Amino acid sequence: MNREISSFADVHRVIEGFPRSSKSAAYSLGPMRELLAFLGNPERQFKVVHVAGTSGKTSTAYYTAALLAGTGKRVGLTVSPHIDEVNERVQIGLTPLPEAEFCRRFRDFLERIKDCRVVPNYFELFVAFAFWEFAARRVDYAVVEVGIGGLIDSTNVFDDPEKVCIITDIGFDHTRLLGNTLPEIAAQKAGIIHLRNAVFCRQQPDEVIDVIRGQARKLQADLHILTTDEVGSEFDFLPLFQRRNFGLSLAAAQYVAERDGLTLDDPTIAKAAHTFIPARMEIEKLHGRTVILDIAHNPQKLHALLKSVHARYPDQSVAALVRMPSREGRMVRTTASLKEATKGLDYIILTSLAEEGDPPDTTFDEARLAAVCREAGFDAYEFVPDPRQAMDKLLARPEPVLLVTGSTFLLNHIRPLLKEGRE
């Protein structure tokens, strides 16, 4: 079967045979460590920047990889989830492996692990593949984004004291797995801190910082807390939330550069700030319209996104297509978050596209959805379950700025439709 892998379609067919990634309190890193040991512990063959957090970790990982690559070093990057295709999870120098090469190496990887007694889940499979590929390509650094949480995430297998940890803004997300309070969630994120690591984070609420500081103290880690969001005016072209992410990446990269004797000069920094990050306030032009794509899927991310949209387009009205969460509690929090930033948001189209891990019944009757919207103070909205029809409705709106957000899965549906429109 493995010899038949010659396209991304083949990759998707093959990985359907592996268990889906479903963390729980009982999840153990033992199988992941055993799999990596079977592969010869590739994760020990490069230096690591490990990125956890609720909001901004993918962008922060991209920026960090770009900054380190700009010093002339060979840099691997693995992110989760991918937006367009699985090869985004294995990047060298911020370039995903080309399809033919990815398929050949993935086929070799499956052949390599076929006799291992560990059967990895979906996420473990791609994490192990990324580490194996990074070692084979002799990268100097790997920038590794956590999947969910940190403490029991499959990426949390690095014991090197030289590992650098970045913890981005922490908020409520994946509460079923991580806990229902900010300190509980922060403890999971801070779980990536190991003995004597350097740790970078921004000033956050005391209940979050206290947890991070406690974990750092316990493990003799070198904690750096950035107390200002400011970056130079030369970065004003970045969305507001990306200025925050880029500043955090820059602080960590400058630390690595000074520690390891690398040259991180102003032209390198300026170039890294222009790094393309898919589906993070990604702006498309379609028939004279501005279409913004962003995967913001929790209240914290939505609020940051809408604040940035209004800052960039202060005098233009905005219509949005938003994927509503399937769980009612999250649905209420999402609408409340939208309400907080509705200035200039003239119309909202809501859809409830099901995602992995959702309850079996992911539909809402319009009466209940209408009640939730009224509670949040909305009256200009409609509910369109089908993403293609919802996008058609959005494109028919008169507002000059159109926003699509709410989930990775929704954007996976919408991006091909935009491509069709451009063609």
Side-chain angles (χ1 to χ4, degrees):
M1 178 178 67
N2 293 348
R3 287 192 297 271
E4 299 172 5
I5 301 176
S6 59
S7 68
F8 287 137
D10 293 334
V11 172
H12 289 290
R13 172 181 52 79
V14 169
I15 62 178
E16 283 301 315
F18 290 85
R20 299 303 293 183
S21 178
S22 57
K23 298 288 191 298
S24 70
Y27 181 81
S28 167
L29 287 171
M32 187 64 183
R33 291 187 182 276
E34 184 176 344
L35 174 60
L36 291 172
F38 183 85
L39 290 166
N41 291 115
E43 79 285 2
R44 298 177 183 174
Q45 298 181 38
F46 40 77
K47 295 180 181 180
V48 175
V49 179
H50 204 182
V51 185
T54 303
S55 299
K57 61 182 185 290
T58 297
S59 296
T60 300
Y62 268 91
Y63 287 136
T64 304
L67 288 161
L68 293 177
T71 68
K73 293 299 183 179
R74 195 166 179 81
V75 178
L77 170 66
T78 181
V79 296
S80 170
H82 60 270
I83 300 299
D84 291 322
E85 196 46 85
V86 290
N87 60 338
E88 293 168 30
R89 295 173 183 258
V90 187
Q91 302 188 39
I92 305 296
L94 283 89
T95 300
L97 296 188
E99 182 172 13
E101 191 171 355
F102 182 95
C103 292
R104 177 179 62 82
R105 293 296 292 165
F106 189 64
R107 183 176 64 238
D108 293 346
F109 175 73
L110 292 180
E111 184 68 20
R112 175 73 177 82
I113 67 171
K114 70 177 184 180
D115 294 325
C116 182
R117 70 174 186 171
V118 173
V119 178
N121 63 37
Y122 179 102
F123 184 61
E124 291 168 334
L125 182 73
F126 281 116
V127 168
F129 176 46
F131 295 170
W132 182 74
E133 189 65 13
F134 293 162
R137 292 173 181 268
R138 300 184 182 278
V139 303
D140 301 296
Y141 299 91
V143 180
V144 177
E145 180 187 1
V146 164
I148 294 177
L151 179 65
I152 58 171
D153 186 75
S154 304
T155 64
N156 196 24
V157 292
F158 304 105
D159 299 320
D160 183 0
E162 290 197 342
K163 183 180 82 168
V164 173
C165 303
I166 301 177
I167 301 177
T168 66
D169 294 339
I170 292 175
F172 291 99
D173 202 5
H174 303 293
T175 53
R176 182 174 58 89
L177 300 175
L178 305 181
N180 293 306
T181 69
L182 283 178
E184 287 176 323
I185 295 171
Q188 291 292 322
K189 309 293 186 182
I192 68 168
I193 301 172
H194 288 206
L195 187 65
R196 297 191 181 90
N197 291 166
V199 183
F200 290 82
C201 67
R202 285 199 174 277
Q203 185 64 52
Q204 298 184 54
D206 289 345
E207 57 185 333
V208 169
I209 289 296
D210 287 348
V211 171
I212 297 173
R213 183 179 284 114
Q215 180 74 350
R217 185 181 299 116
K218 182 172 68 174
L219 292 168
Q220 304 170 50
D222 180 17
L223 178 61
H224 304 255
I225 302 175
L226 279 64
T227 58
T228 176
D229 289 350
E230 293 301 318
V231 290
S233 59
E234 67 269 29
F235 302 110
D236 284 353
F237 66 91
L238 289 171
L240 296 177
F241 66 91
Q242 293 295 42
R243 296 177 206 174
R244 186 172 175 87
N245 295 329
F246 184 74
L248 186 57
S249 302
L250 181 57
Q254 287 174 327
Y255 169 88
V256 172
E258 182 175 351
R259 182 193 68 184
D260 297 347
L262 310 179
T263 300
L264 185 57
D265 55 22
D266 288 344
T268 296
I269 294 170
K271 181 179 178 181
H274 285 87
T275 299
F276 171 70
I277 305 170
R280 271 68 179 185
M281 203 162 166
E282 179 182 349
I283 298 174
E284 296 273 358
K285 293 294 185 179
L286 185 64
H287 307 315
R289 315 287 294 285
T290 297
V291 182
I292 302 171
L293 305 174
D294 195 288
I295 66 167
H297 64 273
N298 64 43
Q300 184 184 43
K301 293 179 181 180
L302 281 168
H303 184 72
L305 169 64
L306 291 169
K307 184 177 179 182
S308 293
V309 170
H310 297 325
R312 176 160 292 190
Y313 304 100
D315 301 318
Q316 300 186 50
S317 55
V318 182
L321 169 58
V322 182
R323 183 262 180 181
M324 294 300 292
S326 57
R327 293 181 179 87
E328 187 163 310
R330 286 191 63 199
M331 180 170 64
V332 171
R333 289 197 297 272
T334 298
T335 51
S337 176
L338 286 169
K339 179 185 177 183
E340 291 177 10
T342 52
K343 179 182 178 182
L345 196 57
D346 289 66
Y347 198 80
I348 303 174
I349 300 170
L350 302 167
T351 188
S352 61
L353 196 61
E355 295 194 40
E356 178 194 355
D358 284 343
D361 181 9
T362 59
T363 60
F364 300 103
D365 62 70
E366 294 193 36
R368 178 59 192 135
L369 186 65
V372 171
C373 288
R374 283 196 300 272
E375 291 167 13
F378 289 141
D379 54 17
Y381 72 93
E382 62 181 302
F383 180 46
V384 184
D386 180 78
R388 179 179 286 272
Q389 293 178 5
M391 191 62 193
D392 288 343
K393 289 268 191 178
L394 184 68
L395 292 173
R397 293 293 307 170
E399 291 79 9
V401 178
L402 307 177
L403 172 65
V404 183
T405 189
S407 81
T408 305
F409 197 51
L410 175 62
L411 263 65
N412 286 342
H413 281 69
I414 296 304
R415 285 164 69 89
L417 302 183
L418 289 177
K419 182 179 179 182
E420 289 176 12
R422 289 196 301 271
E423 294 174 348

